[in-house]
Amino acid sequence: MLGEFVSQLSVFATDTISKLGYPGLVAVMVLENVFPPIPSEAVLPFAGYLTTQGRFDLFWVVFSGGLGSVLGAEILYAIGFYGNELVVRRFIRRFGKWALITEDDLTKAERWFGHFGPKAVFTARLVPIVRSLVSIPAGLAKMRQGPFLFYTVLGTSLWSFILAYTGRVLGQNWSQITEYVGRYEKLTWLALFSLGLIILFRKYRNRRPSKPSLSSAE
C-alpha cells in the first residue's frame, strides 16, 4: 500500500515536469522538500533522462531543481525559526503520517545538525529525508539566513547535479537509480552511527579521572 502510494507520487511528479517543463520541475522540488514522500531520486533522474531526448538542458535542470529545493528549504526553515520544538513535534505527531514523517525523522535531523553544526545544512542535503528536515533544526537554532542560504544552495545544487547527470547517463534505465540511492542512504546512516560512537567514546575517555602518579601520591 505504502509502496503504491509513493509510486503514484512519482508518476504524478514525472508527469508534471514532462507537461510543464522547468516551472513544473521547480514546483515539484518545492513540494519534495515540504512533502518528502515525493522522491527527488525519481524526479531529477527523469529530468536528466529527458536531456538525452532534447527536451531539457542539463544546466537548467540542475538550476530548476536547486531553486525548487531552496524555496522548499526556506519554508521549513521559517517553520522552525518562527515556531518552537514543542509545537513542531506536536504538529508532526498529528499530521506527519500524511507526509510519511515521524518524530524520529526530526530527531535524526536534529542529531545531524548537532554533530556538524551549520555545515550540516550542506552535508544533510545529500541524504534522503534528512535533506529536507534539517532546515527545521536550523530554524529552531536561529541560524543566520546568510550561511543557511549559502550551504543550502551549495548542497541542493550538488544533489541536483548528481541525480540529473546520473539520469542522463542511465538514459531509459534512469529509474534504476532508486536502488542505488537506497543503498547509499543505508551506508550514510551507518557512517553517521559509527561517527556518533567515536564521539561518545572520546567524550567518555576524556571524562575519566586520571590516575595519580606515584610522585604525587608521596
Side-chain angles (χ1 to χ4, degrees):
M1 181 94 177
L2 179 60
E4 182 180 351
F5 174 63
V6 174
S7 178
Q8 290 176 350
L9 287 176
S10 299
V11 172
F12 160 76
T14 52
D15 282 348
T16 299
I17 65 175
S18 182
K19 294 176 180 177
L20 301 181
Y22 298 121
L25 179 55
V26 173
V28 167
M29 291 307 295
V30 171
L31 289 175
E32 184 268 338
N33 274 262
V34 179
F35 192 68
I38 298 178
S40 60
E41 57 267 28
V43 176
L44 289 168
F46 175 68
Y49 158 66
L50 291 181
T51 65
T52 66
Q53 308 297 304
R55 297 181 57 185
F56 282 163
D57 178 80
L58 183 62
F59 171 82
W60 290 110
V61 166
V62 175
F63 178 84
S64 300
L67 177 60
S69 296
V70 170
L71 294 176
E74 286 290 348
I75 293 174
L76 295 181
Y77 172 85
I79 291 174
F81 190 87
Y82 294 106
N84 61 69
E85 186 169 358
L86 291 177
V87 173
V88 171
R89 286 187 174 276
R90 190 180 301 121
F91 181 84
I92 290 178
R93 282 197 298 270
R94 188 169 182 179
F95 301 106
K97 60 183 179 181
W98 302 108
L100 305 183
I101 299 173
T102 65
E103 279 193 87
D104 185 56
D105 293 326
L106 178 60
T107 299
K108 288 179 179 179
E110 288 180 323
R111 288 175 179 171
W112 195 288
F113 190 82
H115 281 312
F116 299 103
K119 292 182 180 179
V121 175
F122 167 73
T123 57
R125 300 299 176 194
L126 307 178
V127 182
I129 299 295
V130 176
R131 66 182 298 271
S132 299
L133 294 182
V134 74
S135 300
I136 297 178
L140 290 171
K142 308 302 181 191
M143 181 178 176
R144 290 188 298 117
Q145 179 63 217
F148 175 79
L149 189 59
F150 172 77
Y151 286 123
T152 298
V153 170
L154 200 62
T156 56
S157 296
L158 179 58
W159 180 250
S160 296
F161 173 76
I162 291 173
L163 292 184
Y165 185 74
T166 303
R168 179 181 174 85
V169 171
L170 292 176
Q172 293 183 345
N173 299 317
W174 63 269
S175 60
Q176 292 181 356
I177 195 173
T178 55
E179 301 177 11
Y180 301 123
V181 170
R183 297 173 187 173
Y184 163 74
E185 183 180 5
K186 292 178 181 178
L187 289 174
T188 302
W189 283 118
L190 178 62
L192 183 61
F193 178 74
S194 302
L195 178 62
L197 289 179
I198 293 174
I199 293 175
L200 288 175
F201 173 75
R202 288 181 176 177
K203 287 184 177 179
Y204 171 76
R205 185 178 61 181
N206 293 334
R207 288 179 180 177
R208 291 180 60 185
S210 58
K211 295 181 180 180
S213 63
L214 292 177
S215 57
S216 61
E218 294 175 356

PDB file of all heavy atoms in Angstrom, residues 159-191:
ATOM      1  N   TRP A 159      23.414  17.997  -5.125  1.00  0.00           N
ATOM      2  CA  TRP A 159      22.484  16.866  -5.152  1.00  0.00           C
ATOM      3  C   TRP A 159      21.718  16.832  -6.474  1.00  0.00           C
ATOM      4  O   TRP A 159      21.554  15.769  -7.088  1.00  0.00           O
ATOM      5  CB  TRP A 159      21.531  16.980  -3.969  1.00  0.00           C
ATOM      6  CG  TRP A 159      20.511  15.882  -3.851  1.00  0.00           C
ATOM      7  CD1 TRP A 159      19.159  15.975  -4.058  1.00  0.00           C
ATOM      8  CD2 TRP A 159      20.748  14.518  -3.471  1.00  0.00           C
ATOM      9  NE1 TRP A 159      18.547  14.765  -3.832  1.00  0.00           N
ATOM     10  CE2 TRP A 159      19.496  13.853  -3.476  1.00  0.00           C
ATOM     11  CE3 TRP A 159      21.894  13.801  -3.139  1.00  0.00           C
ATOM     12  CZ2 TRP A 159      19.356  12.498  -3.155  1.00  0.00           C
ATOM     13  CZ3 TRP A 159      21.756  12.444  -2.816  1.00  0.00           C
ATOM     14  CH2 TRP A 159      20.504  11.819  -2.824  1.00  0.00           C
ATOM     15  N   SER A 160      21.270  17.987  -6.933  1.00  0.00           N
ATOM     16  CA  SER A 160      20.527  18.065  -8.188  1.00  0.00           C
ATOM     17  C   SER A 160      21.401  17.630  -9.361  1.00  0.00           C
ATOM     18  O   SER A 160      20.946  16.904 -10.256  1.00  0.00           O
ATOM     19  CB  SER A 160      20.014  19.489  -8.423  1.00  0.00           C
ATOM     20  OG  SER A 160      19.092  19.878  -7.426  1.00  0.00           O
ATOM     21  N   PHE A 161      22.656  18.068  -9.355  1.00  0.00           N
ATOM     22  CA  PHE A 161      23.568  17.704 -10.444  1.00  0.00           C
ATOM     23  C   PHE A 161      23.827  16.198 -10.449  1.00  0.00           C
ATOM     24  O   PHE A 161      23.791  15.558 -11.521  1.00  0.00           O
ATOM     25  CB  PHE A 161      24.887  18.446 -10.312  1.00  0.00           C
ATOM     26  CG  PHE A 161      25.925  17.988 -11.303  1.00  0.00           C
ATOM     27  CD1 PHE A 161      25.852  18.375 -12.627  1.00  0.00           C
ATOM     28  CD2 PHE A 161      26.950  17.140 -10.900  1.00  0.00           C
ATOM     29  CE1 PHE A 161      26.788  17.932 -13.551  1.00  0.00           C
ATOM     30  CE2 PHE A 161      27.896  16.692 -11.813  1.00  0.00           C
ATOM     31  CZ  PHE A 161      27.815  17.091 -13.142  1.00  0.00           C
ATOM     32  N   ILE A 162      24.098  15.625  -9.280  1.00  0.00           N
ATOM     33  CA  ILE A 162      24.400  14.191  -9.202  1.00  0.00           C
ATOM     34  C   ILE A 162      23.239  13.364  -9.750  1.00  0.00           C
ATOM     35  O   ILE A 162      23.430  12.465 -10.571  1.00  0.00           O
ATOM     36  CB  ILE A 162      24.718  13.779  -7.749  1.00  0.00           C
ATOM     37  CG1 ILE A 162      26.047  14.390  -7.301  1.00  0.00           C
ATOM     38  CG2 ILE A 162      24.770  12.255  -7.621  1.00  0.00           C
ATOM     39  CD1 ILE A 162      26.364  14.177  -5.830  1.00  0.00           C
ATOM     40  N   LEU A 163      22.025  13.668  -9.304  1.00  0.00           N
ATOM     41  CA  LEU A 163      20.871  12.881  -9.734  1.00  0.00           C
ATOM     42  C   LEU A 163      20.537  13.113 -11.201  1.00  0.00           C
ATOM     43  O   LEU A 163      20.246  12.164 -11.944  1.00  0.00           O
ATOM     44  CB  LEU A 163      19.659  13.219  -8.860  1.00  0.00           C
ATOM     45  CG  LEU A 163      19.736  12.776  -7.396  1.00  0.00           C
ATOM     46  CD1 LEU A 163      18.424  13.089  -6.687  1.00  0.00           C
ATOM     47  CD2 LEU A 163      20.028  11.279  -7.289  1.00  0.00           C
ATOM     48  N   ALA A 164      20.571  14.373 -11.623  1.00  0.00           N
ATOM     49  CA  ALA A 164      20.234  14.676 -13.013  1.00  0.00           C
ATOM     50  C   ALA A 164      21.265  14.077 -13.969  1.00  0.00           C
ATOM     51  O   ALA A 164      20.900  13.499 -15.009  1.00  0.00           O
ATOM     52  CB  ALA A 164      20.143  16.185 -13.207  1.00  0.00           C
ATOM     53  N   TYR A 165      22.534  14.208 -13.635  1.00  0.00           N
ATOM     54  CA  TYR A 165      23.585  13.669 -14.507  1.00  0.00           C
ATOM     55  C   TYR A 165      23.526  12.146 -14.556  1.00  0.00           C
ATOM     56  O   TYR A 165      23.704  11.543 -15.619  1.00  0.00           O
ATOM     57  CB  TYR A 165      24.959  14.120 -14.024  1.00  0.00           C
ATOM     58  CG  TYR A 165      26.086  13.693 -14.951  1.00  0.00           C
ATOM     59  CD1 TYR A 165      26.281  14.337 -16.170  1.00  0.00           C
ATOM     60  CD2 TYR A 165      26.929  12.640 -14.608  1.00  0.00           C
ATOM     61  CE1 TYR A 165      27.291  13.938 -17.033  1.00  0.00           C
ATOM     62  CE2 TYR A 165      27.942  12.232 -15.462  1.00  0.00           C
ATOM     63  CZ  TYR A 165      28.115  12.892 -16.670  1.00  0.00           C
ATOM     64  OH  TYR A 165      29.118  12.491 -17.534  1.00  0.00           O
ATOM     65  N   THR A 166      23.241  11.519 -13.405  1.00  0.00           N
ATOM     66  CA  THR A 166      23.121  10.060 -13.377  1.00  0.00           C
ATOM     67  C   THR A 166      21.955   9.608 -14.247  1.00  0.00           C
ATOM     68  O   THR A 166      22.057   8.606 -14.962  1.00  0.00           O
ATOM     69  CB  THR A 166      22.921   9.567 -11.939  1.00  0.00           C
ATOM     70  OG1 THR A 166      24.008  10.009 -11.124  1.00  0.00           O
ATOM     71  CG2 THR A 166      22.859   8.045 -11.890  1.00  0.00           C
ATOM     72  N   GLY A 167      20.842  10.344 -14.183  1.00  0.00           N
ATOM     73  CA  GLY A 167      19.700  10.022 -15.030  1.00  0.00           C
ATOM     74  C   GLY A 167      20.046  10.152 -16.505  1.00  0.00           C
ATOM     75  O   GLY A 167      19.593   9.355 -17.338  1.00  0.00           O
ATOM     76  N   ARG A 168      20.845  11.150 -16.825  1.00  0.00           N
ATOM     77  CA  ARG A 168      21.280  11.340 -18.211  1.00  0.00           C
ATOM     78  C   ARG A 168      22.155  10.168 -18.671  1.00  0.00           C
ATOM     79  O   ARG A 168      22.015   9.676 -19.793  1.00  0.00           O
ATOM     80  CB  ARG A 168      22.053  12.651 -18.329  1.00  0.00           C
ATOM     81  CG  ARG A 168      22.586  12.940 -19.727  1.00  0.00           C
ATOM     82  CD  ARG A 168      23.364  14.256 -19.757  1.00  0.00           C
ATOM     83  NE  ARG A 168      23.995  14.478 -21.044  1.00  0.00           N
ATOM     84  CZ  ARG A 168      23.405  15.032 -22.098  1.00  0.00           C
ATOM     85  NH1 ARG A 168      22.149  15.443 -21.996  1.00  0.00           N
ATOM     86  NH2 ARG A 168      24.041  15.198 -23.232  1.00  0.00           N
ATOM     87  N   VAL A 169      23.046   9.721 -17.792  1.00  0.00           N
ATOM     88  CA  VAL A 169      23.945   8.614 -18.138  1.00  0.00           C
ATOM     89  C   VAL A 169      23.172   7.304 -18.279  1.00  0.00           C
ATOM     90  O   VAL A 169      23.414   6.526 -19.215  1.00  0.00           O
ATOM     91  CB  VAL A 169      25.048   8.468 -17.065  1.00  0.00           C
ATOM     92  CG1 VAL A 169      25.848   7.193 -17.294  1.00  0.00           C
ATOM     93  CG2 VAL A 169      25.972   9.679 -17.094  1.00  0.00           C
ATOM     94  N   LEU A 170      22.224   7.053 -17.361  1.00  0.00           N
ATOM     95  CA  LEU A 170      21.458   5.809 -17.391  1.00  0.00           C
ATOM     96  C   LEU A 170      20.455   5.777 -18.543  1.00  0.00           C
ATOM     97  O   LEU A 170      20.043   4.703 -18.978  1.00  0.00           O
ATOM     98  CB  LEU A 170      20.722   5.604 -16.062  1.00  0.00           C
ATOM     99  CG  LEU A 170      21.597   5.322 -14.841  1.00  0.00           C
ATOM    100  CD1 LEU A 170      20.742   5.228 -13.587  1.00  0.00           C
ATOM    101  CD2 LEU A 170      22.386   4.027 -15.033  1.00  0.00           C
ATOM    102  N   GLY A 171      20.040   6.950 -19.018  1.00  0.00           N
ATOM    103  CA  GLY A 171      19.098   7.003 -20.131  1.00  0.00           C
ATOM    104  C   GLY A 171      17.748   6.397 -19.775  1.00  0.00           C
ATOM    105  O   GLY A 171      17.160   6.724 -18.748  1.00  0.00           O
ATOM    106  N   GLN A 172      17.290   5.470 -20.597  1.00  0.00           N
ATOM    107  CA  GLN A 172      15.987   4.850 -20.372  1.00  0.00           C
ATOM    108  C   GLN A 172      15.943   4.037 -19.085  1.00  0.00           C
ATOM    109  O   GLN A 172      14.858   3.710 -18.590  1.00  0.00           O
ATOM    110  CB  GLN A 172      15.617   3.960 -21.561  1.00  0.00           C
ATOM    111  CG  GLN A 172      15.367   4.733 -22.850  1.00  0.00           C
ATOM    112  CD  GLN A 172      14.940   3.832 -23.988  1.00  0.00           C
ATOM    113  OE1 GLN A 172      15.088   2.603 -23.913  1.00  0.00           O
ATOM    114  NE2 GLN A 172      14.401   4.416 -25.044  1.00  0.00           N
ATOM    115  N   ASN A 173      17.084   3.720 -18.536  1.00  0.00           N
ATOM    116  CA  ASN A 173      17.153   2.968 -17.276  1.00  0.00           C
ATOM    117  C   ASN A 173      17.269   3.893 -16.064  1.00  0.00           C
ATOM    118  O   ASN A 173      17.732   3.471 -15.012  1.00  0.00           O
ATOM    119  CB  ASN A 173      18.336   1.995 -17.308  1.00  0.00           C
ATOM    120  CG  ASN A 173      18.218   0.969 -18.421  1.00  0.00           C
ATOM    121  OD1 ASN A 173      17.147   0.420 -18.654  1.00  0.00           O
ATOM    122  ND2 ASN A 173      19.316   0.726 -19.114  1.00  0.00           N
ATOM    123  N   TRP A 174      16.844   5.132 -16.214  1.00  0.00           N
ATOM    124  CA  TRP A 174      17.011   6.133 -15.155  1.00  0.00           C
ATOM    125  C   TRP A 174      16.368   5.711 -13.836  1.00  0.00           C
ATOM    126  O   TRP A 174      16.853   6.085 -12.748  1.00  0.00           O
ATOM    127  CB  TRP A 174      16.398   7.465 -15.602  1.00  0.00           C
ATOM    128  CG  TRP A 174      14.914   7.413 -15.837  1.00  0.00           C
ATOM    129  CD1 TRP A 174      14.287   7.139 -17.010  1.00  0.00           C
ATOM    130  CD2 TRP A 174      13.886   7.626 -14.874  1.00  0.00           C
ATOM    131  NE1 TRP A 174      12.923   7.166 -16.847  1.00  0.00           N
ATOM    132  CE2 TRP A 174      12.650   7.458 -15.544  1.00  0.00           C
ATOM    133  CE3 TRP A 174      13.888   7.944 -13.515  1.00  0.00           C
ATOM    134  CZ2 TRP A 174      11.423   7.599 -14.895  1.00  0.00           C
ATOM    135  CZ3 TRP A 174      12.667   8.079 -12.861  1.00  0.00           C
ATOM    136  CH2 TRP A 174      11.452   7.910 -13.549  1.00  0.00           C
ATOM    137  N   SER A 175      15.303   4.920 -13.877  1.00  0.00           N
ATOM    138  CA  SER A 175      14.601   4.535 -12.646  1.00  0.00           C
ATOM    139  C   SER A 175      15.436   3.620 -11.754  1.00  0.00           C
ATOM    140  O   SER A 175      15.140   3.459 -10.565  1.00  0.00           O
ATOM    141  CB  SER A 175      13.274   3.849 -12.983  1.00  0.00           C
ATOM    142  OG  SER A 175      13.482   2.678 -13.757  1.00  0.00           O
ATOM    143  N   GLN A 176      16.488   3.025 -12.300  1.00  0.00           N
ATOM    144  CA  GLN A 176      17.334   2.133 -11.508  1.00  0.00           C
ATOM    145  C   GLN A 176      18.057   2.868 -10.388  1.00  0.00           C
ATOM    146  O   GLN A 176      18.529   2.243  -9.436  1.00  0.00           O
ATOM    147  CB  GLN A 176      18.368   1.448 -12.405  1.00  0.00           C
ATOM    148  CG  GLN A 176      17.774   0.450 -13.383  1.00  0.00           C
ATOM    149  CD  GLN A 176      18.849  -0.215 -14.227  1.00  0.00           C
ATOM    150  OE1 GLN A 176      20.035   0.126 -14.139  1.00  0.00           O
ATOM    151  NE2 GLN A 176      18.440  -1.173 -15.053  1.00  0.00           N
ATOM    152  N   ILE A 177      18.124   4.193 -10.500  1.00  0.00           N
ATOM    153  CA  ILE A 177      18.874   4.962  -9.506  1.00  0.00           C
ATOM    154  C   ILE A 177      18.258   4.857  -8.121  1.00  0.00           C
ATOM    155  O   ILE A 177      18.947   5.009  -7.109  1.00  0.00           O
ATOM    156  CB  ILE A 177      18.984   6.449  -9.917  1.00  0.00           C
ATOM    157  CG1 ILE A 177      20.072   7.132  -9.081  1.00  0.00           C
ATOM    158  CG2 ILE A 177      17.648   7.155  -9.767  1.00  0.00           C
ATOM    159  CD1 ILE A 177      20.367   8.532  -9.530  1.00  0.00           C
ATOM    160  N   THR A 178      16.956   4.566  -8.029  1.00  0.00           N
ATOM    161  CA  THR A 178      16.313   4.453  -6.714  1.00  0.00           C
ATOM    162  C   THR A 178      16.947   3.330  -5.895  1.00  0.00           C
ATOM    163  O   THR A 178      17.046   3.433  -4.668  1.00  0.00           O
ATOM    164  CB  THR A 178      14.810   4.189  -6.877  1.00  0.00           C
ATOM    165  OG1 THR A 178      14.614   3.034  -7.695  1.00  0.00           O
ATOM    166  CG2 THR A 178      14.115   5.379  -7.519  1.00  0.00           C
ATOM    167  N   GLU A 179      17.393   2.257  -6.562  1.00  0.00           N
ATOM    168  CA  GLU A 179      18.054   1.160  -5.860  1.00  0.00           C
ATOM    169  C   GLU A 179      19.389   1.620  -5.297  1.00  0.00           C
ATOM    170  O   GLU A 179      19.734   1.324  -4.141  1.00  0.00           O
ATOM    171  CB  GLU A 179      18.273  -0.019  -6.806  1.00  0.00           C
ATOM    172  CG  GLU A 179      16.990  -0.577  -7.411  1.00  0.00           C
ATOM    173  CD  GLU A 179      17.278  -1.692  -8.400  1.00  0.00           C
ATOM    174  OE1 GLU A 179      18.441  -2.160  -8.456  1.00  0.00           O
ATOM    175  OE2 GLU A 179      16.342  -2.093  -9.119  1.00  0.00           O
ATOM    176  N   TYR A 180      20.146   2.373  -6.087  1.00  0.00           N
ATOM    177  CA  TYR A 180      21.447   2.856  -5.635  1.00  0.00           C
ATOM    178  C   TYR A 180      21.307   3.859  -4.492  1.00  0.00           C
ATOM    179  O   TYR A 180      22.098   3.859  -3.551  1.00  0.00           O
ATOM    180  CB  TYR A 180      22.204   3.491  -6.807  1.00  0.00           C
ATOM    181  CG  TYR A 180      22.440   2.556  -7.966  1.00  0.00           C
ATOM    182  CD1 TYR A 180      21.991   2.869  -9.247  1.00  0.00           C
ATOM    183  CD2 TYR A 180      23.117   1.355  -7.785  1.00  0.00           C
ATOM    184  CE1 TYR A 180      22.201   2.010 -10.319  1.00  0.00           C
ATOM    185  CE2 TYR A 180      23.334   0.489  -8.849  1.00  0.00           C
ATOM    186  CZ  TYR A 180      22.869   0.822 -10.102  1.00  0.00           C
ATOM    187  OH  TYR A 180      23.086  -0.038 -11.150  1.00  0.00           O
ATOM    188  N   VAL A 181      20.278   4.709  -4.583  1.00  0.00           N
ATOM    189  CA  VAL A 181      20.066   5.707  -3.528  1.00  0.00           C
ATOM    190  C   VAL A 181      19.721   5.017  -2.212  1.00  0.00           C
ATOM    191  O   VAL A 181      20.157   5.435  -1.142  1.00  0.00           O
ATOM    192  CB  VAL A 181      18.951   6.701  -3.923  1.00  0.00           C
ATOM    193  CG1 VAL A 181      18.567   7.583  -2.741  1.00  0.00           C
ATOM    194  CG2 VAL A 181      19.417   7.575  -5.083  1.00  0.00           C
ATOM    195  N   GLY A 182      18.932   3.935  -2.284  1.00  0.00           N
ATOM    196  CA  GLY A 182      18.583   3.193  -1.076  1.00  0.00           C
ATOM    197  C   GLY A 182      19.819   2.624  -0.392  1.00  0.00           C
ATOM    198  O   GLY A 182      19.965   2.711   0.831  1.00  0.00           O
ATOM    199  N   ARG A 183      20.732   2.067  -1.182  1.00  0.00           N
ATOM    200  CA  ARG A 183      21.973   1.532  -0.618  1.00  0.00           C
ATOM    201  C   ARG A 183      22.838   2.655  -0.062  1.00  0.00           C
ATOM    202  O   ARG A 183      23.440   2.525   1.012  1.00  0.00           O
ATOM    203  CB  ARG A 183      22.742   0.774  -1.697  1.00  0.00           C
ATOM    204  CG  ARG A 183      22.009  -0.443  -2.247  1.00  0.00           C
ATOM    205  CD  ARG A 183      22.760  -1.038  -3.419  1.00  0.00           C
ATOM    206  NE  ARG A 183      21.995  -2.103  -4.070  1.00  0.00           N
ATOM    207  CZ  ARG A 183      22.369  -2.696  -5.196  1.00  0.00           C
ATOM    208  NH1 ARG A 183      23.506  -2.323  -5.785  1.00  0.00           N
ATOM    209  NH2 ARG A 183      21.624  -3.653  -5.726  1.00  0.00           N
ATOM    210  N   TYR A 184      22.896   3.751  -0.798  1.00  0.00           N
ATOM    211  CA  TYR A 184      23.689   4.907  -0.370  1.00  0.00           C
ATOM    212  C   TYR A 184      23.182   5.457   0.953  1.00  0.00           C
ATOM    213  O   TYR A 184      23.965   5.817   1.838  1.00  0.00           O
ATOM    214  CB  TYR A 184      23.631   5.973  -1.463  1.00  0.00           C
ATOM    215  CG  TYR A 184      24.036   7.365  -1.026  1.00  0.00           C
ATOM    216  CD1 TYR A 184      25.370   7.685  -0.802  1.00  0.00           C
ATOM    217  CD2 TYR A 184      23.077   8.363  -0.839  1.00  0.00           C
ATOM    218  CE1 TYR A 184      25.740   8.951  -0.410  1.00  0.00           C
ATOM    219  CE2 TYR A 184      23.437   9.627  -0.449  1.00  0.00           C
ATOM    220  CZ  TYR A 184      24.767   9.921  -0.235  1.00  0.00           C
ATOM    221  OH  TYR A 184      25.126  11.185   0.160  1.00  0.00           O
ATOM    222  N   GLU A 185      21.847   5.494   1.114  1.00  0.00           N
ATOM    223  CA  GLU A 185      21.267   6.010   2.350  1.00  0.00           C
ATOM    224  C   GLU A 185      21.648   5.130   3.541  1.00  0.00           C
ATOM    225  O   GLU A 185      21.999   5.641   4.613  1.00  0.00           O
ATOM    226  CB  GLU A 185      19.742   6.077   2.218  1.00  0.00           C
ATOM    227  CG  GLU A 185      19.052   6.670   3.442  1.00  0.00           C
ATOM    228  CD  GLU A 185      17.549   6.711   3.273  1.00  0.00           C
ATOM    229  OE1 GLU A 185      17.042   6.204   2.267  1.00  0.00           O
ATOM    230  OE2 GLU A 185      16.887   7.252   4.168  1.00  0.00           O
ATOM    231  N   LYS A 186      21.609   3.810   3.358  1.00  0.00           N
ATOM    232  CA  LYS A 186      21.965   2.898   4.445  1.00  0.00           C
ATOM    233  C   LYS A 186      23.429   3.074   4.845  1.00  0.00           C
ATOM    234  O   LYS A 186      23.767   3.086   6.034  1.00  0.00           O
ATOM    235  CB  LYS A 186      21.703   1.453   4.021  1.00  0.00           C
ATOM    236  CG  LYS A 186      20.222   1.130   3.854  1.00  0.00           C
ATOM    237  CD  LYS A 186      20.017  -0.302   3.382  1.00  0.00           C
ATOM    238  CE  LYS A 186      18.535  -0.598   3.193  1.00  0.00           C
ATOM    239  NZ  LYS A 186      18.304  -1.983   2.695  1.00  0.00           N
ATOM    240  N   LEU A 187      24.293   3.202   3.851  1.00  0.00           N
ATOM    241  CA  LEU A 187      25.715   3.390   4.138  1.00  0.00           C
ATOM    242  C   LEU A 187      25.960   4.713   4.868  1.00  0.00           C
ATOM    243  O   LEU A 187      26.798   4.795   5.772  1.00  0.00           O
ATOM    244  CB  LEU A 187      26.528   3.355   2.839  1.00  0.00           C
ATOM    245  CG  LEU A 187      26.661   1.994   2.156  1.00  0.00           C
ATOM    246  CD1 LEU A 187      27.364   2.139   0.810  1.00  0.00           C
ATOM    247  CD2 LEU A 187      27.427   1.027   3.052  1.00  0.00           C
ATOM    248  N   THR A 188      25.201   5.742   4.487  1.00  0.00           N
ATOM    249  CA  THR A 188      25.353   7.047   5.126  1.00  0.00           C
ATOM    250  C   THR A 188      24.971   6.983   6.598  1.00  0.00           C
ATOM    251  O   THR A 188      25.679   7.514   7.456  1.00  0.00           O
ATOM    252  CB  THR A 188      24.487   8.104   4.410  1.00  0.00           C
ATOM    253  OG1 THR A 188      24.884   8.163   3.034  1.00  0.00           O
ATOM    254  CG2 THR A 188      24.674   9.470   5.042  1.00  0.00           C
ATOM    255  N   TRP A 189      23.842   6.330   6.890  1.00  0.00           N
ATOM    256  CA  TRP A 189      23.417   6.220   8.290  1.00  0.00           C
ATOM    257  C   TRP A 189      24.370   5.353   9.098  1.00  0.00           C
ATOM    258  O   TRP A 189      24.608   5.608  10.281  1.00  0.00           O
ATOM    259  CB  TRP A 189      21.999   5.658   8.359  1.00  0.00           C
ATOM    260  CG  TRP A 189      20.950   6.665   8.027  1.00  0.00           C
ATOM    261  CD1 TRP A 189      20.054   6.628   6.997  1.00  0.00           C
ATOM    262  CD2 TRP A 189      20.711   7.901   8.709  1.00  0.00           C
ATOM    263  NE1 TRP A 189      19.275   7.759   6.995  1.00  0.00           N
ATOM    264  CE2 TRP A 189      19.648   8.546   8.035  1.00  0.00           C
ATOM    265  CE3 TRP A 189      21.276   8.521   9.817  1.00  0.00           C
ATOM    266  CZ2 TRP A 189      19.149   9.783   8.432  1.00  0.00           C
ATOM    267  CZ3 TRP A 189      20.794   9.747  10.228  1.00  0.00           C
ATOM    268  CH2 TRP A 189      19.742  10.369   9.536  1.00  0.00           C
ATOM    269  N   LEU A 190      24.943   4.337   8.462  1.00  0.00           N
ATOM    270  CA  LEU A 190      25.928   3.504   9.148  1.00  0.00           C
ATOM    271  C   LEU A 190      27.163   4.325   9.496  1.00  0.00           C
ATOM    272  O   LEU A 190      27.708   4.219  10.602  1.00  0.00           O
ATOM    273  CB  LEU A 190      26.316   2.313   8.270  1.00  0.00           C
ATOM    274  CG  LEU A 190      27.387   1.367   8.852  1.00  0.00           C
ATOM    275  CD1 LEU A 190      26.883   0.745  10.145  1.00  0.00           C
ATOM    276  CD2 LEU A 190      27.730   0.275   7.834  1.00  0.00           C
ATOM    277  N   ALA A 191      27.589   5.174   8.554  1.00  0.00           N
ATOM    278  CA  ALA A 191      28.750   6.034   8.797  1.00  0.00           C
ATOM    279  C   ALA A 191      28.458   7.034   9.915  1.00  0.00           C
ATOM    280  O   ALA A 191      29.312   7.292  10.773  1.00  0.00           O
ATOM    281  CB  ALA A 191      29.140   6.767   7.520  1.00  0.00           C
TER     282      ALA A 191
END
